[in-house]
């Protein structure tokens, strides 16, 4: 009984009762080795868990705390739908086994070729007896992965819990144990179906058999409990996670959503600020949830917190999608006694809002801000990074001389970037269209090209290149050179009026700037100077959308808020800024 010296007899009997959810009484006694007649050596053997986890460890009867150093074995299948992020599965198409401590590495050979045929297997509709599971397993071409495939499909098809239990019981009787990854998949099914009691049962079993669980299990447990009436237990688990690792974004957001759902907004915001302090980036969904759950609630502190989220969007150049925007609008209009009214609009080219007639912030920097930004970019981005890994100091010096002798330019064009705009046309034709369009009104153009453009080829016709060089200055860098530094240098040296054309978001260069104030100035300068382009609807022309004269970012005057939004959610940052706005004003 030494194995359970820290577990009271009453507590263990309760756990044993929970285990009966999976196995017969005799099987529970076997798995937990509680019979005093079993020798110590056999107790350890029974208790050793066939785990495929690097951080879910069997309880060591000797009380040691040695951590294994190798990652858990996991199986994924090429055509299999990836598990939810909560389970932290390896990427699809990477079928492999990585060894546990002391175990030799194993690899599938012939089964790899045919495994895709068995990725999608329809699970049974009702529980099966042992002999029925055996027949299914024997008919499966790769029986060693039968349980993995079957449980994956149970999750996919949302099979009844009793069916999954019958497979677990069969595995326990056949193997003498149940692998950690199968328990994890069963847990995923329980979470998917909101089976709170089952989630707690699995958690209790795992905690007895493993001193530490890995992040995938905690993600599922916290998510499952946070969606139930026992949501406060999710908070307890979050505290447990903090003792052994940095909680994931999913951990925090599950608890935030639970607290918000139960109108405990102070707790929700406490978790939100804790999350930000750990450099975890919140999803738009959880930011939207704050507005949804706060609708109609009073409180100056709550209002201050929600205004803070809007300022977070501003500082990070985040544009809410339409549904998020609607949540913001509805929250403003629901504030008791607030008299806020929201309207959707398009800002005039002058920067004036047609709803409230307010003039939005100018996109131009002050002279001092511009000079500081130019110096910092030249120092930190151009000379202070790996610019010279993609170009030589001699080439960049030649470029600087070229630019200084021709200043100022009105527009600097990333030639190679623009040339790929319409893939079905010749690259030189795409660039030719852009130069013709931008050269109107006698604008002085600088096109950054590559030396291969000078070689007559199917994509680069010599006569077209010569005609373009009559309308713009060209600098041809080496083919391996990185031209972003060239583009930034030429644009900034030309002065505040100069714009640039590229589809690159320039995020890497912003990240090279050491402080948040300079990064903010860089984003503002970029928003006001980057010309966006796209093919026309018929695909025959390139449309250029001039940079805004006003700053396209969330802004407020106290009694007005102007929020740019996009129609659809965009998972990645985009160089495109929205054209649609939500105007909210407080009526006196």
């Amino acid at each position: 009984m030494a194995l359970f010296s820290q577990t009271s007899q009453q507590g263990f009997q309760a756990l044993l009762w929970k285990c009966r959810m999976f196995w017969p009484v005799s099987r529970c006694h076997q798995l937990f080795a509680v019979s005093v007649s079993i020798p110590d050596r056999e107790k350890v053997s029974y208790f050793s868990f066939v785990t495929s986890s690097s951080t879910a460890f069997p309880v060591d009867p000797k009380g040691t705390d040695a951590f294994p150093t190798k990652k858990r074995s996991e199986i994924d299948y090429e055509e299999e739908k990836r598990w939810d992020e909560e389970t932290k599965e390896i990427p699809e198409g990477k079928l492999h086994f990585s060894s546990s401590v002391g175990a030799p590495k194993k690899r599938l050979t012939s089964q790899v070729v045919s495994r895709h045929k068995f990725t999608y297997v329809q699970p049974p509709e009702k529980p099966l007896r042992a002999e029925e599971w055996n027949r299914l397993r024997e008919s499966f071409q790769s029986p060693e992965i039968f349980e993995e495939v079957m449980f994956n499909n149970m999750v996919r098809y949302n099979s009844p819990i009793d069916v999954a239990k019958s497979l677990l019981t069969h595995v326990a009787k056949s193997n003498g144990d149940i692998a950690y990854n199968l328990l994890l998949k069963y847990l995923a099914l329980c979470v998917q179906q909101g089976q709170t009691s089952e989630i707690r049962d699995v958690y209790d079993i795992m905690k007895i058999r493993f001193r530490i669980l890995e992040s995938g299990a905690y993600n599922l447990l916290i998510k499952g409990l946070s969606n139930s009436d026992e949501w406060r237990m999710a908070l307890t688990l979050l505290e447990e996670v903090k003792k052994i690792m940095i909680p994931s974004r999913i951990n925090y957001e599950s608890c935030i959503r639970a607290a918000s759902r139960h109108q405990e907004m102070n707790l929700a915001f406490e978790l939100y600020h804790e999350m930000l302090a750990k450099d975890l980036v919140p999803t738009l969904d959880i930011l939207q949830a704050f507005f949804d759950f706060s609708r109609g609630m009073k409180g100056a502190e709550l209002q201050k917190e929600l205004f803070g989220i809007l300022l977070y969007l501003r500082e990070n150049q985040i544009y809410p999608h339409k549904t998020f925007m609607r949540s913001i609008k509805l929250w403003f209009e629901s504030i008791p006694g607030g008299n806020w009214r929201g309207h959707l609009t398009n800002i005039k080219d002058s920067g004036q809002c047609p709803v409230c007639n307010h003039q939005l912030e100018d996109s131009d920097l002050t002279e001092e801000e511009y000079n500081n930004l130019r110096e910092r970019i030249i120092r930190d981005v151009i000379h202070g990074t790996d610019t010279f890994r993609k170009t030589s100091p001699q080439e960049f010096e030649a470029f600087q001389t070229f630019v200084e002798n021709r200043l100022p330019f009105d527009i600097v064009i990333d030639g190679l970037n623009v040339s790929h705009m319409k893939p079905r046309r010749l690259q030189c034709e795409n660039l030719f269209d852009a130069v013709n369009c931008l050269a109107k009104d006698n604008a002085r153009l600088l096109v950054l090209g590559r030396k291969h453009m000078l070689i007559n080829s199917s994509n680069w016709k010599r006569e077209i290149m010569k005609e373009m060089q009559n309308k713009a200055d060209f600098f041809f860098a080496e083919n391996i050179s990185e031209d972003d530094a060239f583009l930034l240098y030429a644009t900034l040296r030309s002065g505040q009026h100069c714009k640039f054309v590229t589809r690159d978001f320039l995020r890497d260069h912003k990240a090279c700037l050491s402080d948040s104030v300079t990064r903010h100035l860089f984003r503002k300068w970029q928003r006001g100077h980057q010309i966006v382009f796209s093919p026309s609807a018929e695909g025959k022309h390139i449309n250029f959308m001039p940079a805004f004269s006003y700053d396209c970012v969330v802004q407020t005057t106290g009694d007005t808020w102007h929020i740019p939004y996009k129609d659809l959610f965009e998972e990645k940052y985009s160089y495109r800024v929205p054209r649609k706005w939500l105007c909210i004003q407080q009526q006196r």
Side-chain angles (χ1 to χ4, degrees), residues 219-489:
N219 286 346
L220 286 168
L221 288 165
I222 290 174
K223 180 181 180 180
L225 291 168
S226 67
N227 288 328
S228 73
D229 291 337
E230 300 186 45
W231 65 276
R232 288 193 181 277
M233 186 178 174
L235 300 175
T236 302
L237 285 178
L238 180 64
E239 293 302 315
E240 187 177 306
V241 172
K242 291 178 189 177
K243 296 176 183 177
I244 56 177
M245 66 183 84
I246 296 176
S248 69
R249 177 173 68 182
I250 291 171
N251 296 157
Y252 275 108
E253 293 197 348
S254 295
C255 292
I256 288 171
R257 195 177 295 277
S260 300
R261 190 183 299 115
H262 291 84
Q263 301 292 290
E264 297 206 18
M265 300 309 298
N266 288 338
L267 174 58
F269 276 107
E270 181 183 331
L271 293 169
Y272 167 69
H273 290 298
E274 189 177 302
M275 177 182 173
L276 293 180
K278 296 182 184 297
D279 292 327
L280 297 172
V281 179
T283 61
L284 291 188
D285 281 347
I286 203 64
L287 297 180
Q288 180 182 343
F290 278 114
F291 290 91
D292 288 336
F293 288 117
S294 299
R295 200 173 299 166
M297 296 178 67
K298 294 181 179 180
E301 191 61 32
L302 175 63
Q303 187 170 308
K304 180 181 176 182
E305 290 282 12
L306 291 164
F307 285 169
I309 291 179
L310 295 178
L311 295 177
Y312 175 84
L313 299 181
R314 171 189 172 90
E315 291 303 313
N316 292 278
Q317 194 180 332
I318 297 172
Y319 303 119
H321 48 78
K322 185 180 289 185
T323 54
F324 186 4
M325 175 275 296
R326 285 173 178 163
S327 294
I328 295 171
K329 178 179 182 291
L330 289 173
W331 171 73
F332 267 103
E333 293 175 342
S334 75
I335 298 174
N339 294 322
W340 291 93
R341 291 294 178 267
H343 300 274
L344 307 186
T345 187
N346 293 305
I347 303 298
K348 297 177 181 178
D349 291 341
S350 64
Q352 186 181 50
C353 174
V355 176
C356 66
N357 295 320
H358 177 71
Q359 186 70 32
L360 297 189
E361 297 172 22
D362 198 310
S363 63
D364 282 338
L365 307 181
T366 66
E367 186 176 353
E368 181 181 1
E369 288 174 334
Y370 181 79
N371 289 334
N372 288 338
L373 177 66
R374 180 175 60 186
E375 291 173 8
R376 291 295 297 276
I377 288 180
I378 291 175
R379 185 187 72 191
D380 296 349
V381 176
I382 296 175
H383 292 304
T385 63
D386 60 351
T387 294
F388 296 126
R389 292 184 187 178
K390 296 292 181 69
T391 186
S392 66
Q394 294 79 13
E395 181 180 50
F396 195 76
E397 185 177 337
F399 173 70
Q400 287 178 297
T401 302
F402 176 91
V403 169
E404 297 299 328
N405 290 336
R406 291 165 176 79
L407 288 174
F409 298 103
D410 297 314
I411 301 174
V412 180
I413 303 170
D414 182 344
L416 195 60
N417 191 292
V418 172
S419 72
H420 287 95
M421 169 50 63
K422 292 182 287 186
R424 294 185 178 181
R425 297 192 68 203
L426 297 182
Q427 289 175 252
C428 62
E429 291 177 345
N430 284 334
L431 186 55
F432 183 73
D433 287 349
V435 168
N436 278 341
C437 180
L438 295 170
K440 296 174 182 177
D441 302 322
N442 297 316
R444 293 204 62 223
L445 308 182
L446 170 60
V447 179
L448 302 175
R450 303 292 174 86
K451 288 189 174 178
H452 72 262
M453 296 177 179
L454 294 171
I455 302 174
N456 194 38
S457 64
S458 58
N459 256 317
W460 298 100
K461 301 298 183 183
R462 183 169 293 142
E463 60 274 13
I464 295 178
M465 291 301 297
K466 285 182 178 180
E467 188 172 350
M468 277 192 285
Q469 290 177 69
N470 292 327
K471 299 181 178 183
D473 286 303
F474 273 73
F475 182 86
F476 296 97
E478 295 293 337
N479 294 328
I480 63 169
S481 295
E482 188 70 56
D483 52 16
D484 287 352
F486 294 77
L487 180 130
L488 289 172
Y489 180 86

Side-chain angles (χ1 to χ4, degrees), residues 176-224:
D177 208 345
I178 297 178
Y180 178 87
N181 59 334
L182 295 187
L183 269 180
L184 196 64
K185 292 175 189 292
Y186 176 75
L187 177 60
L189 185 62
C190 294
V191 171
Q192 188 169 287
Q193 297 184 8
Q195 300 276 356
T196 305
S197 61
E198 296 292 326
I199 294 169
R200 293 203 60 164
D201 290 339
V202 174
Y203 172 65
D204 288 343
I205 292 168
M206 284 181 161
K207 284 301 291 182
I208 285 294
R209 300 178 69 182
F210 300 95
R211 288 185 298 101
I212 299 175
L213 305 183
E214 47 81 56
S215 60
Y218 278 118
N219 286 346
L220 286 168
L221 288 165
I222 290 174
K223 180 181 180 180

Side-chain angles (χ1 to χ4, degrees), residues 110-121:
S110 60
Q111 290 83 5
V112 173
V113 178
S114 58
R115 70 178 183 270
H116 66 279
K117 297 180 182 178
F118 307 100
T119 299
Y120 296 101
V121 178

Side-chain angles (χ1 to χ4, degrees), residues 40-49 177:
D40 286 343
R41 178 179 55 80
E42 293 186 31
K43 289 179 185 178
V44 175
S45 176
Y46 274 119
F47 204 81
S48 296
F49 193 66
D177 208 345

Side-chain angles (χ1 to χ4, degrees), residues 21 53 98 100 134 169 190 295 371 392 572:
M21 302 289 289
S53 170
S98 55
S100 300
N134 279 330
T169 301
C190 294
R295 200 173 299 166
N371 289 334
S392 66
K572 296 183 179 180

